[in-house]
Amino acid sequence: MPSQDPQASEQPPEPKPPSKLKQLWTKLGLDPMTLKLMLKGSIPPTIAIAMYQSQAVAAQYSTIGFLVAITSILGFAIMPRGKFLQTMSLNILATGLAAAVNLLALYCVTQARLHTTPAGHSLSGYNSSASVVCAVWLCVQIFSVNALRAARPQFQFPAIIYSIFASVTCTTAVQFPNMAAAISFMQKLLEAFLTGFALATGTNLFIFPTSARSVVFKEMTGYLMCLSGMLKAQTAYMQSMETIDPIALRHQREEEQRESEQDGTKKKARKPAVPLSSPLATPASLKLKELLVKTVELHTKLHGDVTPAKREFAIGKLESHDLTELWKMLRMVFIPVTGLSASMDLIQRLAADLHWADKGSTEQDEQIRHEAVENLHFLMKELHTPFAHRTASIDAAIMHVLITLELVPAPKKSADEESKGDQPVPGSSTFAETYQKQVNDFYHSKSITLSDWCKEHDIDLPHDFFDSTFIKPEHLLIRDEHKRERYQRQLFFTLYLEYLSWRAGSAVLDLVLWADKRKQEGALKRNKLIFPGSKTLYKWFWAVFGREDFSNDGSYLAEMDSGGSEATYLGEDFMRRKDPEHLPPRNAFERVGESVRKLPRFFRSDESAFGFRVVCATMTIAITCYLEASQAWFLRQRLLWAMIMVAISMSRTAGQSTFNFSLRIFGTLVAMLGSYIIWYIVDGHAAGAIVFLWLWICCAYYVVLKFPKLIIVAILSLVTAVLIIGYELQVQVLGVKVSESNGQPAYPTYELAPYRLACVAGGLLVAFIWTIFPFPISESTELRKDIGASLYLRSNFYSIVHETVRARITGTDGDVKVKGTHAYHLEKARDAVFSKSMLLLNHLKTNSQFSKFQLRVGGRFPAAEYEGLIESCQRVLQYTALMSHASLTFSTHNKANATEESQWARDFRQLVSQTSTTSHKVTSLLALLSTSMSYGQPLPPYLEMPQPFQFVKKVDSIDPDLLSIRHIAEI
């Protein structure tokens, strides 16, 4: 027998030839199900082929849907649950509306093709009428949705989703010969979008479940820690002032600057953090300023996050009204603590005005300067120790609140067991009683500080001075007017620090008592299902479609805001002016005319101008899709991605556009390099590519969470890498022929990645050009207008505080807890304007930072002057808030028993009520400054500035005993 080759016997059998049905399916480019329906006569052959071709197109453009999925998962899925559901609901509504409107557009396109194609000719191929109809529908939709995005910031993400949907549909519709193909395409595209939303929803609700309440509680914990840190930084600053020498400090800075210039590093050297004009700036003061900035930012963020937390259905312990009360008490702590930091500004301004950093020109001037510095040293030494004790007590009280509300873990051992003597540890049951005694001691310790101050200034006080009624104030009157005024300033500054530290301690005491009360009532025993009230839900519904402050929506994608809309809604009085050319309508005909006039008013608006810019940028790229010579090239080279980048990246202002342009280019470049690594390190094997893609997403997601300012780089590197690798995996699964059935060649990764980069760069370049052409809207212009709006809010806030102080002094304010009283309405208006002012202050600083990136033509932008204006606005807001907070002393409803008020306090109230302590001239001046800054107009000539009221001198001239230091404990 002949020997058999073992290798030949192991060869696999030859594959069976494909069936005739499969050969026909491959030849026509049909799937088996469509082919069977065609053979049964259920659908005509032309429609069957068109349907399958549209499915191939939809399969290609379903990548767009998964782009939406990735963006939703990365951006929306990390939102708190309440905000996510609101945003996702709007996204689904936008997608459904886009599908309906674009299906109508597809009908118009196919009808235009049908009525303009000669009889006997194929409906496929280029058709100019269909292209024109597509272009018109695209322009109308892009204009409308971007004008809405600019007018309503809460519609930013739904507007982007709508823009992507419309761009995909109106550029692909030029290929559809009939409605069957259009409907099939629309169905696939809609499914792709909704699949992306479903993945994001599942991720948010089941994989990364995060409630808005948990976010707010973490922010409140950090907020209280920042307030405690500010008190510690204030103590360190006071300690640094005990031995400071302004002249030596100035010489040290000048020497450092000279050494830097001599080393040839002047250009590379970092800009000094402390300017030479700040004679008393120390590292402690810089740390205090940094903490102040962080606290203000967190305060603003909390303002935007508390409202969604109250609207959320959740499982927790504290009710929605508890969040409202807790946030209200935190604001009462915020004002005196930040007011203490104003002492730094007061000291530095005094040092700059009196030239403490320069030796006096005469011996007398030098003696005055030296005496002032020595007084500062003594004052800081006297205040440092008691202030440090108060800071330690307040810090312990804050920790007690955090432990009681279970915001931080409790100590391992029992708190009562660790309590020693009269100093119970935070979290113990007796802590509130001990802390309340400490606050009362704070209040009555001012006489000790005053006695030490008088001894330092050679003022002898009898031992019973604060209790005796027989010592007349003129016995201790200092005859030298300048000396008396200087002593008064020092004394009032001491009282300022003492009063605010006591107020901060009292506000924290209220927080401690409230936390213990809620714990005793059993609110913190177990979790329960929390439902928002009907009133809260009603406000939530109208807030979705109305105007609200959306500058802090809690999403990392807020860093990608490109709407360029007003950060803070300033109210109808600021946004809408009276028409000097038209009287109010009197009849139905005139009211109809007013409605007609809204149309040209809309087209004149900034929102309409922004929408028109986006249309121009979009059509700059899309026009190649509607011309016969370039239509196939547009579809083949994937220029749709450039259009999508226009929809995502367009912004109103030039500086923000330049900054985002650079970041997006860098993010796409990083994604291109990452795609090479992901795909080729495993030689194109699907399993390995998926693993490395997961690792890439983890690394990029770390950037999202750790560096929110680089969110644009991270998101684009993620999305682009997923699209490139996902497309290559699609080619592996479907094959090259099916992937190229829509006319787009299947490129390998080393070619596809640069194509993506080129498309993104081209789209960003077009968006940037139309941002600055025909004229740019610079950040400097927006900054000037925002400062005008900020001054308007300061005017409004000062007017409210003026009325609040007057009502409290005269006793006509009423109980703030009773709805409908004068005090209730004033507090509501005051809190609203203060919150808007804080939001706008953050927006001012953001625009100031972005102004560095805008292109400069002509003279330089006066950045230092605008920074000074922003600081002035912040000081005015701070001092006005302190006026309102200090006037609580005069509110009879703020005391447990109004009869406990001393005779001196009643006399002081009566005298002050008869004296005009404030002036409406300040309100008028702020309003004039607002108009001048907003419209770039000069102030009116011969404007009379409001002069300082000299309150102390006027009261002293009426009754000197009222301001006697004997009554210091009654202030």
Side-chain angles (χ1 to χ4, degrees):
M1 295 180 61
S3 62
Q4 296 181 355
D5 188 359
Q7 295 182 356
S9 61
E10 294 178 1
Q11 288 181 357
E14 295 183 0
K16 296 181 180 180
S19 62
K20 294 183 178 180
L21 181 63
K22 191 172 182 179
Q23 291 177 5
L24 182 60
W25 145 36
T26 307
K27 183 177 180 181
L28 294 177
L30 301 177
D31 66 291
M33 183 59 64
T34 306
L35 183 60
K36 291 179 181 179
L37 291 175
M38 184 188 71
L39 295 178
K40 290 181 180 180
S42 301
I43 55 176
T46 54
I47 295 181
I49 296 175
M51 287 178 58
Y52 184 71
Q53 290 176 348
S54 67
Q55 291 175 8
V57 173
Q60 175 67 27
Y61 285 107
S62 63
T63 312
I64 303 291
F66 288 101
L67 162 66
V68 176
I70 294 299
T71 306
S72 301
I73 293 172
L74 296 178
F76 307 145
I78 58 179
M79 285 183 179
R81 185 164 49 244
K83 291 184 179 181
F84 172 82
L85 293 177
Q86 174 180 328
T87 304
M88 185 56 64
S89 300
L90 292 175
N91 290 341
I92 294 174
L93 288 175
T95 304
L97 179 62
V101 173
N102 284 279
L103 196 58
L104 176 61
L106 291 177
Y107 174 78
C108 297
V109 171
T110 54
Q111 288 298 309
R113 179 184 292 274
L114 178 64
H115 288 83
T116 56
T117 301
H121 289 72
S122 174
L123 293 176
S124 60
Y126 178 79
N127 185 282
S128 59
S129 299
S131 298
V132 170
V133 173
C134 284
V136 171
W137 274 100
L138 179 63
C139 291
V140 172
Q141 292 185 85
I142 294 297
F143 172 80
S144 302
V145 74
N146 282 279
L148 177 65
R149 181 175 74 164
R152 294 291 188 269
Q154 65 268 36
F155 293 147
Q156 176 197 351
F157 300 125
I160 291 177
I161 296 296
Y162 190 103
S163 298
I164 294 175
F165 201 105
S167 299
V168 173
T169 304
C170 291
T171 53
T172 313
V174 295
Q175 305 177 75
F176 298 147
N178 47 50
M179 277 302 294
I183 293 175
S184 177
F185 165 80
M186 184 59 65
Q187 180 181 357
K188 295 293 183 181
L189 187 62
L190 185 59
E191 289 176 356
F193 270 71
L194 295 181
T195 301
F197 293 149
L199 292 174
T201 303
T203 303
N204 180 273
L205 299 181
F206 302 109
I207 300 179
F208 299 112
T210 304
S211 67
R213 296 168 61 87
S214 62
V215 173
V216 166
F217 286 141
K218 289 181 181 179
E219 290 175 351
M220 286 183 174
T221 303
Y223 185 71
L224 285 170
M225 292 296 186
C226 282
L227 293 175
S228 177
M230 282 195 63
L231 291 174
K232 295 176 182 178
Q234 179 74 27
T235 305
Y237 171 73
M238 294 170 66
Q239 185 177 8
S240 68
M241 292 291 105
E242 294 178 3
T243 57
I244 191 172
D245 186 355
I247 296 179
L249 188 63
R250 182 176 63 85
H251 289 172
Q252 179 182 356
R253 292 180 193 151
E254 291 177 349
E255 183 65 26
E256 291 176 355
Q257 187 177 12
R258 281 194 297 268
E259 291 178 358
S260 176
E261 293 176 358
Q262 291 175 0
D263 293 340
T265 59
K266 181 178 180 181
K267 294 184 179 180
K268 298 181 181 180
R270 184 180 300 177
K271 184 179 179 181
V274 182
L276 295 178
S277 59
S278 302
L280 299 183
T282 61
S285 66
L286 293 179
K287 184 177 180 180
L288 181 58
K289 285 184 177 181
E290 291 176 0
L291 279 174
L292 176 62
V293 172
K294 292 180 180 179
T295 306
V296 170
E297 290 179 353
L298 195 53
H299 179 93
T300 308
K301 194 173 188 304
L302 259 174
H303 169 74
D305 290 342
V306 167
T307 301
K310 294 189 296 183
R311 297 169 178 171
E312 191 177 55
F313 294 85
I315 297 177
K317 297 181 179 180
L318 294 178
E319 302 280 352
S320 298
H321 61 85
D322 292 329
L323 293 179
T324 304
E325 189 68 21
L326 182 57
W327 174 231
K328 180 180 178 181
M329 288 187 289
L330 288 178
R331 293 200 305 266
M332 297 301 292
V333 181
F334 172 78
I335 293 177
V337 171
T338 54
L340 283 170
S341 65
S343 62
M344 173 178 56
D345 176 63
L346 294 174
I347 294 175
Q348 290 185 358
R349 290 172 62 187
L350 180 63
D353 293 341
L354 299 181
H355 306 286
W356 285 5
D358 300 317
K359 289 187 178 181
S361 56
T362 63
E363 184 177 352
Q364 183 178 2
D365 293 341
E366 176 61 22
Q367 183 179 359
I368 295 175
R369 187 199 69 83
H370 181 72
E371 182 181 354
V373 174
E374 289 298 322
N375 287 334
L376 176 66
H377 291 168
F378 167 77
L379 194 60
M380 292 296 104
K381 289 179 182 178
E382 289 295 319
L383 292 175
H384 171 229
T385 302
F387 196 88
H389 291 312
R390 297 175 192 180
T391 299
S393 299
I394 294 175
D395 180 64
I398 289 176
M399 185 57 62
H400 174 80
V401 172
L402 295 176
I403 294 175
T404 304
L405 296 180
E406 301 178 5
L407 298 179
V408 297
K412 294 182 179 180
K413 295 183 180 180
S414 173
D416 293 314
E417 294 177 0
E418 293 183 354
S419 301
K420 295 181 180 180
D422 296 333
Q423 299 296 328
V425 298
S428 62
S429 58
T430 59
F431 180 85
E433 182 181 355
T434 304
Y435 179 68
Q436 188 171 14
K437 182 178 180 299
Q438 292 174 349
V439 172
N440 293 333
D441 293 340
F442 294 165
Y443 182 77
H444 296 292
S445 65
K446 288 180 285 188
S447 58
I448 300 176
T449 304
L450 178 61
S451 300
D452 295 337
W453 182 86
C454 290
K455 290 179 182 179
E456 175 67 18
H457 293 80
D458 300 327
I459 301 176
D460 296 328
L461 297 179
H463 67 280
D464 59 344
F465 175 76
F466 296 104
D467 300 323
S468 175
T469 58
F470 299 100
I471 300 177
K472 299 298 182 182
E474 56 267 18
H475 294 169
L476 300 173
L477 183 64
I478 299 175
R479 301 300 175 182
D480 188 350
E481 183 176 354
H482 296 288
K483 187 176 182 181
R484 183 171 69 251
E485 183 178 353
R486 188 168 67 252
Y487 282 1
Q488 280 181 341
R489 286 184 177 180
Q490 296 176 14
L491 180 60
F492 291 160
F493 179 74
T494 305
L495 294 178
Y496 173 83
L497 296 177
E498 292 274 355
Y499 178 78
L500 287 182
S501 61
W502 172 72
R503 271 294 181 186
S506 300
V508 175
L509 175 62
D510 294 338
L511 200 56
V512 169
L513 296 176
W514 179 84
D516 288 349
K517 177 184 175 183
R518 294 302 292 156
K519 183 176 182 179
Q520 294 172 4
E521 292 174 348
L524 302 174
K525 285 185 177 180
R526 57 182 178 273
N527 291 326
K528 52 184 173 293
L529 190 60
I530 298 173
F531 295 93
S534 57
K535 185 177 180 181
T536 301
L537 294 176
Y538 177 80
K539 289 182 177 179
W540 187 5
F541 175 79
W542 286 109
V544 171
F545 302 99
R547 286 234 184 219
E548 220 181 46
D549 299 323
F550 289 91
S551 2
N552 297 276
D553 61 356
S555 167
Y556 289 104
L557 284 181
E559 300 293 339
M560 300 180 69
D561 180 18
S562 57
S565 56
E566 193 74 41
T568 306
Y569 181 56
L570 304 179
E572 294 294 328
D573 292 338
F574 186 83
M575 302 301 293
R576 298 181 62 182
R577 309 287 182 173
K578 288 185 177 181
D579 191 348
E581 300 174 1
H582 295 83
L583 293 174
R586 296 171 299 178
N587 50 49
F589 179 77
E590 291 183 354
R591 282 191 289 271
V592 171
E594 287 294 319
S595 301
V596 173
R597 291 179 60 237
K598 291 181 180 179
L599 186 62
R601 187 184 304 138
F602 165 73
F603 286 112
R604 289 196 303 266
S605 64
D606 294 336
E607 293 81 6
S608 176
F610 175 68
F612 181 73
R613 285 177 183 263
V614 179
V615 169
C616 293
T618 302
M619 288 306 298
T620 301
I621 301 173
I623 190 64
T624 57
C625 181
Y626 303 127
L627 299 177
E628 183 177 7
S630 56
Q631 186 177 97
W633 177 80
F634 175 92
L635 299 173
R636 184 172 60 253
Q637 302 303 331
R638 299 172 173 86
L639 293 189
L640 175 63
W641 293 104
M643 288 180 58
I644 292 177
M645 293 311 302
V646 169
I648 294 176
S649 63
M650 278 291 287
S651 59
R652 289 182 60 240
T653 53
Q656 185 180 1
S657 179
T658 306
F659 180 75
N660 291 342
F661 174 80
S662 305
L663 287 183
R664 286 186 172 96
I665 290 292
F666 179 71
T668 308
L669 180 61
V670 170
M672 182 187 72
L673 300 177
S675 300
Y676 288 158
I677 297 173
I678 295 170
W679 188 254
Y680 289 110
I681 199 172
V682 294
D683 197 22
H685 292 287
I690 292 174
V691 171
F692 276 91
L693 180 62
W694 175 85
L695 182 62
W696 178 264
I697 292 175
C698 290
C699 295
Y701 208 84
Y702 175 80
V703 177
V704 173
L705 298 176
K706 192 69 176 179
F707 308 102
K709 295 298 181 182
L710 299 178
I711 179 69
I712 298 177
V713 177
I715 290 295
L716 275 182
S717 64
L718 284 172
V719 171
T720 306
V722 168
L723 288 175
I724 294 173
I725 302 302
Y727 180 80
E728 296 298 337
L729 294 175
Q730 172 185 296
V731 173
Q732 282 190 357
V733 174
L734 299 181
V736 176
K737 185 173 182 180
V738 176
S739 300
E740 293 181 344
S741 59
N742 63 340
Q744 295 182 355
Y747 293 114
T749 303
Y750 63 86
E751 291 184 7
L752 182 62
Y755 262 104
R756 298 290 187 199
L757 177 60
C759 288
V760 170
L764 293 175
L765 180 61
V766 170
F768 176 74
I769 290 174
W770 282 103
T771 301
I772 64 175
F773 179 83
F775 61 90
I777 301 176
S778 62
E779 262 73 11
S780 56
T781 302
E782 294 298 306
L783 182 60
R784 174 179 57 80
K785 292 181 179 180
D786 285 342
I787 289 179
S790 180
L791 290 170
Y792 166 79
L793 287 177
R794 300 299 179 275
S795 174
N796 198 346
F797 188 59
Y798 183 86
S799 179
I800 296 172
V801 171
H802 172 94
E803 180 62 24
T804 300
V805 174
R806 189 194 64 80
R808 287 172 176 171
I809 289 177
T810 58
T812 60
D813 53 339
D815 191 353
V816 71
K817 298 181 180 179
V818 178
K819 189 174 182 179
T821 60
H822 196 40
Y824 174 84
H825 291 297
L826 283 173
E827 185 184 33
K828 189 175 181 180
R830 192 171 58 251
D831 291 343
V833 177
F834 181 78
S835 300
K836 289 178 183 292
S837 299
M838 295 295 291
L839 286 172
L840 191 55
L841 190 63
N842 272 2
H843 193 63
L844 283 171
K845 295 177 180 179
T846 301
N847 271 345
S848 178
Q849 294 174 357
F850 275 122
S851 64
K852 302 174 183 177
F853 297 95
Q854 66 183 24
L855 300 178
R856 297 292 180 192
V857 179
R860 292 182 298 173
F861 176 69
E865 285 75 6
Y866 274 86
E867 289 290 340
L869 287 173
I870 295 175
E871 292 181 3
S872 298
C873 288
Q874 183 173 356
R875 284 199 297 266
V876 170
L877 177 64
Q878 193 174 29
Y879 295 150
T880 310
L882 285 175
M883 288 170 51
S884 173
H885 193 76
S887 65
L888 282 170
T889 306
F890 299 105
S891 179
T892 57
H893 294 276
N894 192 49
K895 302 180 182 295
N897 188 359
T899 59
E900 295 180 359
E901 190 176 36
S902 64
Q903 181 63 38
W904 172 86
R906 287 193 291 270
D907 293 342
F908 185 79
R909 178 196 299 275
Q910 183 178 2
L911 179 61
V912 170
S913 63
Q914 299 172 359
T915 308
S916 178
T917 55
T918 54
S919 173
H920 292 297
K921 291 182 179 180
V922 176
T923 305
S924 302
L925 178 62
L926 290 172
L928 286 172
L929 288 173
S930 171
T931 305
S932 177
M933 289 297 298
S934 299
Y935 298 98
Q937 299 293 331
L939 290 170
Y942 310 110
L943 178 64
E944 183 178 356
M945 300 294 293
Q947 299 299 321
F949 185 71
Q950 302 295 335
F951 174 79
V952 175
K953 290 184 177 180
K954 290 186 180 296
V955 174
D956 192 51
S957 64
I958 297 174
D959 188 354
D961 187 53
L962 280 177
L963 296 181
S964 172
I965 55 178
R966 179 193 305 144
H967 305 293
I968 185 173
E970 301 185 52
I971 297 178

